[in-house]
Amino acid sequence: MTDIQPQAIYHQKQVILLCSDIHIQSHYPARHLAWLKSLNMIYEQYNIAACYILGDLFDYWIGSPCIQTYQESLAQLQNSKILSSPVYFMRGNRDFMITEELSSFGIQTIPDPSIIYHGSSSILLSHGDLFCSQDRSYQSLRSIIQHPLTKKLVRYLPTQVKYTIANHLRQKSKQYNHKKSRNLMQTHPPTIDQYAQQYSCKHVIHGHVHKAQQYSTQHCHVTVLDSWEHQENYALITQEGIKLITLYDHHTGTVLKESASTSV
């Protein structure tokens, strides 16, 4: 379990937009442009009160030099409709080194986990890797590289050394994940229940595992966001409940798929 005190953000019964795992790459702008196009369309269709990005907005982030790396993407984000309402960003396993760099672009960084209140309903938000508790090797590595002291030390390293370390970790992660069983890398429902009970939430929304779905555990209802590499997808919280929407599935060619709303 985490020692982080989650931030609580209060909303009335307004429309809230959530997405995760966009994985923006400076050398592949098509995905970022598709994400912005889709979100601009959503903002035109709905009166969005707030947008939450639940981690891994970027393919990697090694510190302030990445502002230059993603300069074009950040400029396009600033000129989009998204910033017409508050935008909240939660760090993921790829961009956990972000501190307050995004604040100059109108984006507020929030801790993992965080709680939002939609009317009287409390909803727990997380990137999702906290819930992969069965993958003990990953959790051990996570506790080391995301420790505040480690992140502080990394900031003093030369930029090229940071890039070398980031590339090495990504390659090792790909090799190691290829050998792991799929079940080991999935979220663990009892762990999700522990967090939901700890923070008195009946709903949990997260990303990370790259598999869009909605299901119920013993103590809460879970909405999982997919990676935008797999499908253009997002979740909406409205007066009717939580809805998971796929705009385009790159595997099946499905143009639009919409889940039934889960009451909040």
Side-chain angles (χ1 to χ4, degrees), residues 19-201:
C19 55
S20 183
D21 297 274
I22 296 89
H23 301 164
I24 293 174
Q25 297 173 323
S26 58
H27 62 278
Y28 183 63
R31 183 181 307 130
H32 173 247
L33 291 173
W35 175 64
L36 283 181
K37 181 180 178 181
S38 297
L39 265 61
N40 280 330
M41 181 182 69
I42 298 163
Y43 270 75
E44 290 175 356
Q45 186 177 358
Y46 298 93
N47 183 21
I48 303 295
C51 174
Y52 288 84
I53 304 170
L54 302 185
D56 286 1
L57 173 60
F58 302 98
D59 193 46
Y60 67 88
W61 190 279
I62 60 167
S64 55
C66 284
I67 295 176
Q68 183 67 32
T69 304
Y70 299 112
Q71 183 178 28
E72 184 176 351
S73 297
L74 288 167
Q76 291 167 344
L77 179 60
Q78 274 190 305
N79 293 325
S80 71
K81 289 183 174 65
I82 299 171
L83 293 178
S84 61
S85 62
V87 178
Y88 301 94
F89 168 76
M90 179 180 289
R91 302 171 187 88
N93 56 291
R94 298 185 185 217
D95 45 24
F96 64 87
M97 284 294 295
I98 290 175
T99 52
E100 297 301 322
E101 293 98 333
L102 299 185
S103 61
S104 59
F105 297 92
I107 300 173
Q108 180 180 337
T109 302
I110 59 175
D112 183 0
S114 286
I115 299 170
I116 61 173
Y117 289 89
H118 191 255
S120 60
S121 300
S122 56
I123 303 167
L124 185 69
L125 306 182
S126 175
H127 175 58
D129 55 341
L130 282 172
F131 304 142
C132 299
S133 56
Q134 296 299 94
D135 190 350
R136 292 186 174 85
S137 59
Y138 171 77
Q139 294 299 331
S140 296
L141 177 64
R142 183 183 187 278
S143 66
I144 295 171
I145 64 175
Q146 296 195 29
H147 192 281
L149 179 59
T150 304
K151 292 195 287 186
K152 186 175 182 179
L153 291 172
V154 168
R155 291 191 186 102
Y156 290 101
L157 295 175
T159 299
Q160 190 54 50
V161 173
K162 293 178 184 178
Y163 277 115
T164 301
I165 292 173
N167 288 329
H168 175 73
L169 288 174
R170 283 206 304 276
Q171 290 303 318
K172 285 294 184 183
S173 177
K174 288 180 182 177
Q175 294 171 9
Y176 191 54
N177 288 344
H178 186 70
K179 297 176 183 178
K180 289 181 183 178
S181 70
R182 182 65 182 167
N183 288 338
L184 188 64
M185 294 187 288
Q186 295 302 303
T187 53
H188 190 48
T191 301
I192 294 177
D193 275 340
Q194 286 180 354
Y195 277 93
Q197 289 182 290
Q198 179 181 355
Y199 299 120
S200 302
C201 295

